[in-house]
Amino acid sequence: MYLYNSLTRTKEEFIPNEAGKVSMYTCGPTVYHYAHIGNLRSYIMEDVLEKYLRFAGYEVTRVMNITDVGHLTSDADTGEDKMLKGAKREKKTVLEIAKFYTDAFFEDCKKLNIKTPDVVAPATTCIDEFIRVIEGLLEKGYAYEAGGNIYFDTAKLKQYYVFNDFKEEDLEVGVREGVEADHNKRNKADFVLWFTKSKFDDQELKWESPWGIGYPGWHIECSCISMKHLGEKLDIHCGGIDNAFPHHTNEIAQSEAYLGHKWCNFWFHVHHLNTNSGKMSKSSGEFLTVSLLESKGYDPLTYRLFCLQSHYRKSLVFSYENLDNAATAYKKLVTRIAALQKESAGELDETAFAAHKAAFCQALDNDMNTSLAVTALYDVLKAKITPATKLALINDFDRVLGLSLTAAAERLNQTETEEATAVSDDPFLREIEEQIERRKQAKKDKNYALADEIRNALAAKGVTLIDTPQGTKYQIEG
Ligand code: AMP
Ligand code: ZN
């Protein structure tokens, strides 16, 4: 499998540290609000990556943090704690807010068939770990205390900007929005590992530490939670592209300084979901949620298909028109599969199965080309192979695509059966069906007078017949 690695800016063959096993870390949500569908684009594409690795035979261990403390409204260690801001907005405690939005996040994930990672760790449950690593960084001379806070000293590194070509001037106050001068910092790029004295006196969650009562910075949590559960060498670290700098840059700085060796091999960054008016953001402006899409009648899985139809390394523009297209495509897929389920299955053709599976894997092996993988699914539906082979392939591919295709098709067939049963149980509906059949025969016999008579007789009973290309339908008055 070839994956684009943001660290080397090339597509590289994916080789894990330990044969057959993959350790994978994902930056989890900051739980001060609902996740928007942009956040969920990242989690959908990361879920496909995880599922494909498992599909390819790897034993995957995936860990995710929940940011319930320390993520400030500005990336430059200034501004308010996002959690505290959320709590004030809703007049709740920070922990109440965290619990509510963590649950809401996993509800959304469930609706989108996003698997819950093997380990989910809220930052507030790992404080001892953060303190231990910060102590280590101080001992090794990579961190310093100033004005009560503990900072990471970026000047101690050979290379700090690992992902992009940021220059120190880019961090000049006034150049980046929301950056305020922090005179405690030795270098502009330094960042806080632990806050004790800060302007946020109303910080609700604080812990004892060797440096006084305080709370952790945002970046340290991901390094520590990853190292705690996945050890000193990580195979893949995921997140949205906005996290590459400063969050992931700082994670690499502190983890490698602490460990004394390379930490993570592959950096998998999902590009943004935008609207026509710009990036969708949780902390500013209006944003779209899964519940909102549901309230407008969309099955959340149509949003998943919408995401799969584009490459994760391209930014994606959301519009209802585009979502409508995905909804139509999803409905058509399910209808075609439902029809297949009703056909006589025939034998499984092993050779055809292997050939189609190879095409599907080839798409995903090439830096997770999910849109080509979806095309491979359409190719299965079009192919001249037995329904048994098609259904087996669809089930197999859906282990990765996560579109619940077989289940949705079964539900569709079941609804049709129930509707048919309802008709046969109701004498009035049965009568209508019988008359429609009689009228069909009359038209076949060119006995249009009888056909009209039947139509009129039904109309007198409040039943209007509508002839459509799919046959005659009816509407009952009232
Ligand atoms: P947050 O809850 O804000 O910490 O973000 C959770 C995840 O969503 C992170 O991996 C972000 O990089 C990612 N993310 C944020 N905004 C977007 C967006 N508009 N499109 C895709 N991913 C995003
Ligand atoms: Zn993170």
Side-chain angles (χ1 to χ4, degrees):
M1 180 183 194
Y2 280 77
L3 265 187
Y4 183 84
N5 185 355
S6 306
L7 204 55
T8 55
R9 288 173 229 175
T10 49
K11 262 192 227 177
E12 282 176 42
E13 187 178 0
F14 174 69
I15 301 169
N17 284 304
E18 199 180 330
K21 291 191 174 167
V22 178
S23 56
M24 190 171 169
Y25 184 84
T26 295
C27 289
T30 313
V31 282
Y32 64 104
H33 220 316
Y34 292 108
H36 56 62
I37 58 170
N39 301 128
L40 291 160
R41 179 193 190 195
S42 289
Y43 295 113
I44 288 171
M45 301 318 282
E46 293 164 8
D47 181 66
V48 176
L49 173 61
E50 175 186 352
K51 287 186 170 140
Y52 185 59
L53 289 166
R54 290 186 196 273
F55 184 88
Y58 289 110
E59 192 185 305
V60 181
T61 311
R62 179 146 174 228
V63 176
M64 179 195 271
N65 66 307
I66 300 287
T67 302
D68 53 1
V69 66
H71 192 177
L72 306 184
T73 50
S74 152
D75 281 337
D77 298 325
T78 58
E80 221 175 335
D81 183 325
K82 288 182 178 175
M83 293 301 301
L84 191 60
K85 201 174 163 196
K88 279 188 195 156
R89 181 187 68 229
E90 299 189 21
K91 300 189 175 46
K92 288 187 182 146
T93 67
V94 164
L95 286 179
E96 279 166 351
I97 285 278
K99 161 111 185 56
F100 180 83
Y101 288 113
T102 302
D103 291 349
F105 172 72
F106 285 112
E107 283 279 305
D108 286 346
C109 287
K110 204 166 146 199
K111 288 175 187 166
L112 291 164
N113 277 346
I114 298 169
K115 179 184 170 293
T116 302
D118 304 289
V119 177
V120 175
T124 49
T125 62
C126 305
I127 302 295
D128 290 350
E129 208 66 24
F130 307 158
I131 291 175
R132 205 172 52 75
V133 172
I134 297 168
E135 278 181 317
L137 288 169
L138 280 163
E139 268 164 36
K140 290 178 184 183
Y142 284 103
Y144 59 92
E145 190 170 350
N149 295 333
I150 309 296
Y151 293 87
F152 185 90
D153 188 350
T154 53
K156 293 272 157 50
L157 301 175
K158 270 200 222 103
Q159 191 192 2
Y160 167 66
Y161 298 105
V162 284
F163 288 116
N164 28 34
D165 303 317
F166 277 98
K167 294 187 192 74
E168 198 150 319
E169 303 86 75
D170 292 342
L171 291 176
E172 288 283 10
V173 174
V175 173
R176 284 183 67 228
E177 206 187 321
V179 178
E180 284 173 37
D182 177 348
H183 299 294
N184 293 321
K185 288 186 184 182
R186 289 183 190 163
N187 315 286
K188 284 179 190 118
D190 292 356
F191 54 93
V192 178
L193 298 166
W194 186 269
F195 291 95
T196 55
K197 290 213 180 60
S198 76
K199 55 184 183 179
F200 326 118
D201 290 335
D202 53 353
Q203 180 71 20
E204 207 178 291
L205 299 176
K206 294 178 199 172
W207 295 265
E208 295 277 354
S209 83
W211 320 287
I213 291 177
Y215 59 98
W218 169 37
H219 316 294
I220 194 71
E221 68 177 85
C222 287
S223 291
C224 294
I225 292 172
S226 172
M227 285 193 262
K228 178 175 175 183
H229 296 282
L230 297 167
E232 291 192 1
K233 287 189 173 172
L234 180 62
D235 290 311
I236 307 177
H237 194 308
C238 316
I241 188 69
D242 58 313
N243 277 347
F245 182 82
H247 183 50
H248 293 161
T249 305
N250 291 350
E251 279 188 47
I252 293 173
Q254 66 208 0
S255 301
E256 298 193 350
Y258 177 77
L259 293 167
H261 59 71
K262 185 166 171 144
W263 171 48
C264 175
N265 284 339
F266 278 82
W267 287 83
F268 179 86
H269 285 125
V270 180
H271 286 239
H272 277 157
L273 180 83
N274 300 313
T275 57
N276 284 327
S277 51
K279 185 197 151 193
M280 203 173 289
S281 159
K282 207 188 273 195
S283 50
S284 64
E286 253 193 274
F287 58 78
L288 302 174
T289 60
V290 168
S291 314
L292 182 77
L293 296 187
E294 279 186 303
S295 72
K296 290 180 184 288
Y298 293 99
D299 178 336
L301 293 180
T302 61
Y303 178 64
R304 186 169 171 117
L305 178 60
F306 170 76
C307 291
L308 296 186
Q309 285 168 331
S310 297
H311 197 262
Y312 75 92
R313 270 194 308 114
K314 288 207 175 102
S315 51
L316 178 60
V317 176
F318 177 85
S319 71
Y320 280 107
E321 198 186 337
N322 294 343
L323 187 64
D324 283 338
N325 290 338
T328 308
Y330 186 72
K331 219 178 236 171
K332 275 193 187 157
L333 267 175
V334 171
T335 309
R336 286 171 78 176
I337 297 165
L340 265 181
Q341 287 172 342
K342 288 196 282 195
E343 285 178 34
S344 87
E347 301 263 310
L348 181 83
D349 178 344
E350 305 270 2
T351 315
F353 184 94
H356 282 278
K357 185 166 176 162
F360 179 75
C361 292
Q362 198 181 8
L364 293 170
D365 280 342
N366 184 9
D367 192 26
M368 286 258 301
N369 193 331
T370 49
S371 74
L372 259 187
V374 172
T375 305
L377 176 74
Y378 281 110
D379 289 342
V380 166
L381 285 166
K382 279 189 283 190
K384 289 195 168 46
I385 52 178
T386 60
T389 315
K390 289 188 184 183
L391 289 170
L393 282 161
I394 291 160
N395 261 332
D396 205 39
F397 293 5
D398 212 23
R399 283 164 50 206
V400 180
L401 302 177
L403 294 169
S404 292
L405 293 168
T406 302
E410 278 166 2
R411 268 200 311 277
L412 186 66
N413 280 331
Q414 174 143 10
T415 313
E416 277 177 12
T417 313
E418 280 166 10
E419 278 172 7
T421 317
V423 169
S424 65
D425 285 350
D426 182 324
F428 183 53
L429 299 182
R430 216 163 47 221
E431 161 78 10
I432 298 171
E433 294 288 343
E434 276 164 19
Q435 293 307 322
I436 288 175
E437 273 311 302
R438 261 188 79 215
R439 178 167 167 267
K440 196 168 148 193
Q441 189 57 47
K443 286 213 281 193
K444 239 191 216 163
D445 300 342
K446 301 203 174 5
N447 187 350
Y448 298 111
L450 177 60
D452 285 347
E453 194 184 299
I454 295 168
R455 174 195 280 280
N456 294 340
L458 283 173
K461 291 180 184 169
V463 181
T464 311
L465 296 186
I466 307 148
D467 292 317
T468 77
Q470 289 80 35
T472 304
K473 310 265 187 265
Y474 59 87
Q475 244 173 12
I476 305 175
E477 231 172 62

